[in-house]
Amino acid sequence: QATHLLEETKVFLHNRDKKIDDIIEWGDTAQKIGHMAEMKNCSKIVMAKQENDYFQKLLKKLQEQTKTKIEVIPIALPQTKTEQTK
């Protein structure tokens, strides 16, 4: 399911002429995001807004661990078939 959401997000952003890198790894997510931003010398980290506790904790941890600017944007993605049947 995560891969499907990632593919939908990539198509959504590609259609808006945005370049993205996707990463699927195990481990401390905030640390990995921060390290990737530093290695790629990014001017900012852009995250799709989510309404859940995990996202809020991730955002807080990331803000504490990196000096890179973080921007949270709302993105309305189409619902997956699983979400539509709930």
Side-chain angles (χ1 to χ4, degrees), residues 28-38 44-48 54-72:
D28 182 57
T29 305
Q31 190 175 44
K32 289 185 186 305
I33 293 171
H35 287 165
M36 288 297 292
E38 290 174 17
K44 67 181 171 181
I45 298 167
V46 179
M47 300 179 72
Y54 175 78
F55 179 76
Q56 296 304 318
K57 290 176 185 176
L58 172 64
L59 183 59
K60 182 179 178 182
K61 191 172 183 180
L62 188 56
Q63 289 169 331
E64 293 169 354
Q65 291 183 357
T66 185
K67 295 178 183 175
T68 306
K69 179 182 174 183
I70 301 169
E71 182 179 348
V72 179

Side-chain angles (χ1 to χ4, degrees), residues 6 17 22 24 36 42 47 50 57 61 70 76 84:
L6 178 60
D17 295 324
D22 56 85
I24 299 178
M36 288 297 292
C42 296
M47 300 179 72
Q50 298 177 46
K57 290 176 185 176
K61 191 172 183 180
I70 301 169
Q84 291 172 356

Side-chain angles (χ1 to χ4, degrees), residues 15-32:
N15 289 339
R16 284 154 183 77
D17 295 324
K18 303 292 181 186
K19 181 184 178 300
I20 66 167
D21 290 313
D22 56 85
I23 305 165
I24 299 178
E25 290 188 40
W26 295 100
D28 182 57
T29 305
Q31 190 175 44
K32 289 185 186 305

Side-chain angles (χ1 to χ4, degrees), residues 4-13 16 48-50 74-80 83-84:
H4 179 71
L5 178 60
L6 178 60
E7 291 304 318
E8 286 182 354
T9 304
K10 287 169 63 175
V11 169
F12 177 86
L13 293 172
R16 284 154 183 77
K49 184 175 182 177
Q50 298 177 46
I75 295 180
L77 295 173
Q79 289 185 328
T80 63
E83 292 171 332
Q84 291 172 356

